[in-house]
Amino acid sequence: MAVDTELASLREDFRSRLPEAELITCHPSMVLARISRTKYKDIRVGIQFPKGYPEVPLLVELKSKTVTEKVLDNVTKLCDEELKKWRGKQQILSLLLFVKQFIDDNPFIACSDEVTYIKKELIGEQDDLKLKQRAGVVNMTIRECRYFLSAKLSVPDNYPSDAVRLVPCICLMSFLMPSSLPTCMHACMYHYYACMYVDSLVCMY
């Protein structure tokens, strides 16, 4: 009866609490909902009631055609930790709201593989990479010889349908010009175009 009561409450409150989500299945054997912010930030949440619910937390499975398995695994672990806090209470709506909040607060979920690639392949030990998670901004400083390049990547909400915005700025680190200026500038620009590669990735979609 507790499950039936919760499902009835879910059907009644779902649209008002999650207006942009979709309740696909709402049955004692399974609840299936789709939480979507954009085409590329779309997660399906499968929920089952274990024996002993609600003292025993819900069983959760997350799937997506656009979000990577690594991100889904991390979100699933977070969900499992949150569910432990709601033992003895109705858990479904709270869980769905938690997944929605995670999507809203993490704009990089649509490009997590690209960010990982940048960290591993494009950024050297002398360089800096800082992510502003909620703002969806990547700040990079690429250093070579006596020069550095600072660039800001702004990832739009609808990425990759909308391209990232890249605003580079090249500055001198010293007033003394090195004798190997052409070589240093060439190396600096090589790093610059490596950063520009990030922007070109958008064209692959």
Side-chain angles (χ1 to χ4, degrees):
M1 290 298 294
V3 170
D4 291 336
T5 300
E6 183 169 358
L7 293 178
S9 177
L10 178 65
R11 294 187 191 97
E12 181 178 349
D13 298 336
F14 185 87
R15 184 54 56 192
S16 61
R17 300 294 300 278
L18 293 159
E20 298 179 359
E22 178 185 3
L23 185 60
I24 300 171
T25 302
C26 187
H27 190 271
S29 61
M30 172 173 276
V31 174
L32 181 61
R34 178 184 178 186
I35 312 296
S36 179
R37 181 179 175 89
T38 70
K39 177 181 178 181
Y40 297 95
K41 300 175 182 178
D42 184 283
I43 296 177
R44 293 197 175 201
V45 185
I47 301 169
Q48 289 184 308
F49 298 97
K51 185 177 180 180
Y53 178 81
E55 295 301 328
V56 178
L58 294 168
L59 301 176
V60 183
E61 182 180 21
L62 304 182
K63 293 185 177 182
S64 176
K65 294 182 179 180
T66 54
V67 180
T68 66
E69 286 296 326
K70 182 178 180 180
V71 172
L72 293 178
D73 289 343
N74 290 336
V75 180
T76 300
K77 291 177 182 178
L78 292 174
C79 288
D80 290 340
E81 290 301 315
E82 289 296 312
L83 286 168
K84 293 176 183 178
K85 302 175 184 178
W86 305 326
R87 283 194 177 105
K89 303 176 182 179
Q90 294 186 357
Q91 300 171 19
I92 299 177
L93 187 57
S94 296
L95 173 66
L96 296 177
L97 288 170
F98 176 80
V99 174
K100 178 186 182 301
Q101 192 63 49
F102 181 89
I103 294 174
D104 291 342
D105 291 345
N106 292 272
F108 292 117
I109 65 172
C111 56
S112 60
D113 280 353
E114 293 175 69
V115 172
T116 299
Y117 178 83
I118 294 169
K119 289 180 178 179
K120 290 183 177 180
E121 304 295 336
L122 300 185
I123 300 298
E125 294 182 359
Q126 75 279 10
D127 306 321
D128 294 320
L129 176 69
K130 296 181 180 179
L131 304 179
K132 291 186 177 181
Q133 187 66 249
R134 295 200 175 190
V137 171
V138 181
N139 288 318
M140 294 188 297
T141 300
I142 310 299
R143 296 181 175 86
E144 187 67 37
C145 299
R146 300 186 183 188
Y147 303 91
F148 69 87
L149 176 148
S150 293
K152 176 185 289 186
L153 282 170
S154 179
V155 181
D157 192 33
N158 204 34
Y159 179 84
S161 293
D162 295 337
V164 297
R165 295 185 297 277
L166 176 62
V167 184
C169 176
I170 300 178
C171 305
L172 294 178
M173 294 183 70
S174 172
F175 290 105
L176 298 176
M177 295 297 182
S179 58
S180 58
L181 177 61
T183 302
C184 289
M185 285 300 293
H186 177 76
C188 186
M189 292 309 295
Y190 174 82
H191 278 74
Y192 167 72
Y193 284 111
C195 294
M196 289 292 287
Y197 171 76
V198 179
D199 194 36
S200 71
L201 289 175
V202 178
C203 298
M204 298 174 58
Y205 290 89

Tab-separated table of all heavy atoms in Angstrom, residues 26 31 34 40-41 54 64 69 89-90 109 114 131 133 135-136 139 143 153-154 157 162 182 184-185 201:
chain	number	residue	atom	x	y	z
A	26	CYS	N	4.887	4.386	-14.679
A	26	CYS	CA	4.653	4.571	-13.245
A	26	CYS	C	3.866	3.367	-12.737
A	26	CYS	O	2.630	3.362	-12.700
A	26	CYS	CB	3.894	5.874	-13.004
A	26	CYS	SG	3.714	6.319	-11.264
A	31	VAL	N	9.389	2.288	-12.193
A	31	VAL	CA	9.113	3.685	-12.548
A	31	VAL	C	10.222	4.125	-13.498
A	31	VAL	O	11.401	3.912	-13.232
A	31	VAL	CB	9.090	4.589	-11.303
A	31	VAL	CG1	8.951	6.056	-11.717
A	31	VAL	CG2	7.951	4.193	-10.371
A	34	ARG	N	12.176	10.435	-17.688
A	34	ARG	CA	13.203	11.057	-18.530
A	34	ARG	C	13.425	12.486	-18.053
A	34	ARG	O	12.513	13.308	-18.060
A	34	ARG	CB	12.754	11.055	-19.992
A	34	ARG	CG	13.726	11.712	-20.946
A	34	ARG	CD	13.146	11.738	-22.346
A	34	ARG	NE	14.038	12.410	-23.283
A	34	ARG	CZ	13.716	12.669	-24.542
A	34	ARG	NH1	12.521	12.325	-24.998
A	34	ARG	NH2	14.573	13.288	-25.326
A	40	TYR	N	21.349	17.048	-25.503
A	40	TYR	CA	22.575	16.366	-25.096
A	40	TYR	C	22.719	16.237	-23.586
A	40	TYR	O	23.706	15.683	-23.102
A	40	TYR	CB	23.781	17.109	-25.679
A	40	TYR	CG	23.790	17.096	-27.182
A	40	TYR	CD1	23.260	18.157	-27.914
A	40	TYR	CD2	24.293	16.003	-27.882
A	40	TYR	CE1	23.254	18.135	-29.307
A	40	TYR	CE2	24.287	15.973	-29.271
A	40	TYR	CZ	23.768	17.046	-29.971
A	40	TYR	OH	23.753	17.016	-31.352
A	41	LYS	N	21.781	16.752	-22.853
A	41	LYS	CA	21.741	16.596	-21.395
A	41	LYS	C	20.444	15.892	-21.046
A	41	LYS	O	19.500	16.489	-20.547
A	41	LYS	CB	21.837	17.957	-20.703
A	41	LYS	CG	23.121	18.718	-21.017
A	41	LYS	CD	23.107	20.102	-20.401
A	41	LYS	CE	24.364	20.876	-20.766
A	41	LYS	NZ	24.348	22.249	-20.204
A	54	PRO	N	10.096	1.321	2.305
A	54	PRO	CA	11.122	2.356	2.095
A	54	PRO	C	12.308	2.316	3.074
A	54	PRO	O	13.169	3.179	2.999
A	54	PRO	CB	10.323	3.636	2.283
A	54	PRO	CG	9.321	3.293	3.323
A	54	PRO	CD	8.946	1.858	3.062
A	64	SER	N	21.559	6.834	-20.883
A	64	SER	CA	21.545	8.014	-21.744
A	64	SER	C	22.242	7.693	-23.060
A	64	SER	O	23.197	6.906	-23.091
A	64	SER	CB	22.251	9.193	-21.067
A	64	SER	OG	22.315	10.304	-21.932
A	69	GLU	N	29.148	6.924	-19.977
A	69	GLU	CA	28.960	5.936	-18.919
A	69	GLU	C	29.683	6.344	-17.641
A	69	GLU	O	29.196	6.087	-16.534
A	69	GLU	CB	29.461	4.562	-19.386
A	69	GLU	CG	28.569	3.873	-20.384
A	69	GLU	CD	27.198	3.534	-19.807
A	69	GLU	OE1	27.125	3.229	-18.601
A	69	GLU	OE2	26.213	3.573	-20.558
A	89	LYS	N	11.187	7.123	4.151
A	89	LYS	CA	10.365	8.182	3.549
A	89	LYS	C	10.113	7.874	2.080
A	89	LYS	O	10.755	7.010	1.493
A	89	LYS	CB	11.084	9.537	3.660
A	89	LYS	CG	11.450	9.942	5.073
A	89	LYS	CD	12.228	11.247	5.059
A	89	LYS	CE	12.667	11.660	6.444
A	89	LYS	NZ	13.462	12.927	6.431
A	90	GLN	N	9.190	8.594	1.473
A	90	GLN	CA	8.988	8.492	0.035
A	90	GLN	C	10.235	9.029	-0.668
A	90	GLN	O	10.741	10.098	-0.333
A	90	GLN	CB	7.750	9.279	-0.396
A	90	GLN	CG	6.450	8.703	0.139
A	90	GLN	CD	5.231	9.405	-0.422
A	90	GLN	OE1	5.325	10.362	-1.175
A	90	GLN	NE2	4.053	8.891	-0.060
A	109	ILE	N	28.583	18.124	-18.433
A	109	ILE	CA	28.235	16.716	-18.654
A	109	ILE	C	28.088	16.395	-20.138
A	109	ILE	O	28.202	15.238	-20.537
A	109	ILE	CB	26.946	16.303	-17.897
A	109	ILE	CG1	25.719	17.052	-18.420
A	109	ILE	CG2	27.103	16.481	-16.414
A	109	ILE	CD1	24.427	16.529	-17.837
A	114	GLU	N	35.647	15.463	-23.731
A	114	GLU	CA	36.511	16.483	-24.328
A	114	GLU	C	37.359	17.181	-23.267
A	114	GLU	O	38.543	17.455	-23.480
A	114	GLU	CB	35.672	17.506	-25.085
A	114	GLU	CG	34.989	16.934	-26.316
A	114	GLU	CD	34.081	17.946	-26.975
A	114	GLU	OE1	34.610	18.919	-27.539
A	114	GLU	OE2	32.850	17.772	-26.926
A	131	LEU	N	38.400	24.968	-14.207
A	131	LEU	CA	37.008	24.862	-14.609
A	131	LEU	C	36.117	25.606	-13.619
A	131	LEU	O	36.245	25.425	-12.414
A	131	LEU	CB	36.571	23.391	-14.667
A	131	LEU	CG	37.383	22.450	-15.557
A	131	LEU	CD1	36.806	21.047	-15.467
A	131	LEU	CD2	37.406	22.930	-16.986
A	133	GLN	N	32.667	25.296	-12.776
A	133	GLN	CA	31.658	24.281	-13.055
A	133	GLN	C	30.286	24.861	-13.351
A	133	GLN	O	29.703	24.620	-14.406
A	133	GLN	CB	31.578	23.310	-11.873
A	133	GLN	CG	30.692	22.113	-12.102
A	133	GLN	CD	31.211	21.187	-13.181
A	133	GLN	OE1	30.624	21.084	-14.243
A	133	GLN	NE2	32.315	20.512	-12.924
A	135	ALA	N	29.305	27.864	-13.963
A	135	ALA	CA	29.260	28.873	-15.026
A	135	ALA	C	29.513	28.257	-16.393
A	135	ALA	O	29.258	28.901	-17.420
A	135	ALA	CB	30.278	29.970	-14.745
A	136	GLY	N	30.017	27.024	-16.429
A	136	GLY	CA	30.327	26.394	-17.703
A	136	GLY	C	31.484	27.069	-18.423
A	136	GLY	O	31.471	27.208	-19.646
A	139	ASN	N	38.984	28.163	-18.063
A	139	ASN	CA	40.060	29.148	-18.155
A	139	ASN	C	41.381	28.420	-18.357
A	139	ASN	O	41.742	27.536	-17.562
A	139	ASN	CB	40.130	30.002	-16.884
A	139	ASN	CG	38.969	30.972	-16.792
A	139	ASN	OD1	38.583	31.597	-17.779
A	139	ASN	ND2	38.396	31.112	-15.613
A	143	ARG	N	51.735	28.210	-21.594
A	143	ARG	CA	53.030	28.886	-21.515
A	143	ARG	C	54.053	28.237	-22.445
A	143	ARG	O	54.113	27.012	-22.546
A	143	ARG	CB	53.549	28.854	-20.078
A	143	ARG	CG	52.675	29.618	-19.089
A	143	ARG	CD	53.234	29.578	-17.690
A	143	ARG	NE	52.457	30.410	-16.779
A	143	ARG	CZ	51.366	29.999	-16.142
A	143	ARG	NH1	50.942	28.753	-16.314
A	143	ARG	NH2	50.703	30.813	-15.336
A	153	LEU	N	37.179	29.521	-22.485
A	153	LEU	CA	36.190	28.747	-23.236
A	153	LEU	C	34.872	28.807	-22.485
A	153	LEU	O	34.786	28.372	-21.337
A	153	LEU	CB	36.631	27.283	-23.356
A	153	LEU	CG	37.694	26.927	-24.388
A	153	LEU	CD1	38.148	25.502	-24.166
A	153	LEU	CD2	37.146	27.082	-25.792
A	154	SER	N	33.862	29.330	-23.127
A	154	SER	CA	32.533	29.378	-22.530
A	154	SER	C	31.655	28.345	-23.228
A	154	SER	O	31.425	28.415	-24.434
A	154	SER	CB	31.927	30.781	-22.693
A	154	SER	OG	30.627	30.826	-22.136
A	157	ASP	N	24.783	26.392	-22.967
A	157	ASP	CA	23.871	25.387	-22.412
A	157	ASP	C	23.499	24.343	-23.449
A	157	ASP	O	23.334	23.163	-23.132
A	157	ASP	CB	22.615	26.074	-21.868
A	157	ASP	CG	21.762	25.141	-21.033
A	157	ASP	OD1	22.330	24.255	-20.354
A	157	ASP	OD2	20.523	25.279	-21.058
A	162	ASP	N	25.225	24.385	-30.131
A	162	ASP	CA	25.808	25.724	-30.194
A	162	ASP	C	27.293	25.618	-29.900
A	162	ASP	O	27.711	24.877	-29.001
A	162	ASP	CB	25.143	26.654	-29.171
A	162	ASP	CG	23.672	26.893	-29.473
A	162	ASP	OD1	23.276	26.726	-30.648
A	162	ASP	OD2	22.924	27.239	-28.536
A	182	PRO	N	61.633	33.705	-33.308
A	182	PRO	CA	60.783	32.974	-34.261
A	182	PRO	C	60.436	31.579	-33.770
A	182	PRO	O	59.303	31.124	-33.880
A	182	PRO	CB	61.634	32.934	-35.534
A	182	PRO	CG	62.556	34.097	-35.398
A	182	PRO	CD	62.871	34.186	-33.929
A	184	CYS	N	60.377	30.509	-30.601
A	184	CYS	CA	59.483	30.601	-29.445
A	184	CYS	C	58.061	30.944	-29.882
A	184	CYS	O	57.086	30.393	-29.374
A	184	CYS	CB	60.000	31.655	-28.470
A	184	CYS	SG	61.505	31.158	-27.609
A	185	MET	N	57.956	31.889	-30.821
A	185	MET	CA	56.624	32.267	-31.295
A	185	MET	C	55.954	31.101	-32.001
A	185	MET	O	54.762	30.877	-31.869
A	185	MET	CB	56.733	33.471	-32.239
A	185	MET	CG	57.001	34.786	-31.532
A	185	MET	SD	55.694	35.207	-30.341
A	185	MET	CE	54.340	35.501	-31.463
A	201	LEU	N	36.394	20.875	-32.483
A	201	LEU	CA	35.688	19.635	-32.176
A	201	LEU	C	34.187	19.776	-32.387
A	201	LEU	O	33.490	18.820	-32.695
A	201	LEU	CB	35.960	19.201	-30.725
A	201	LEU	CG	37.361	18.688	-30.423
A	201	LEU	CD1	37.488	18.431	-28.932
A	201	LEU	CD2	37.639	17.411	-31.200
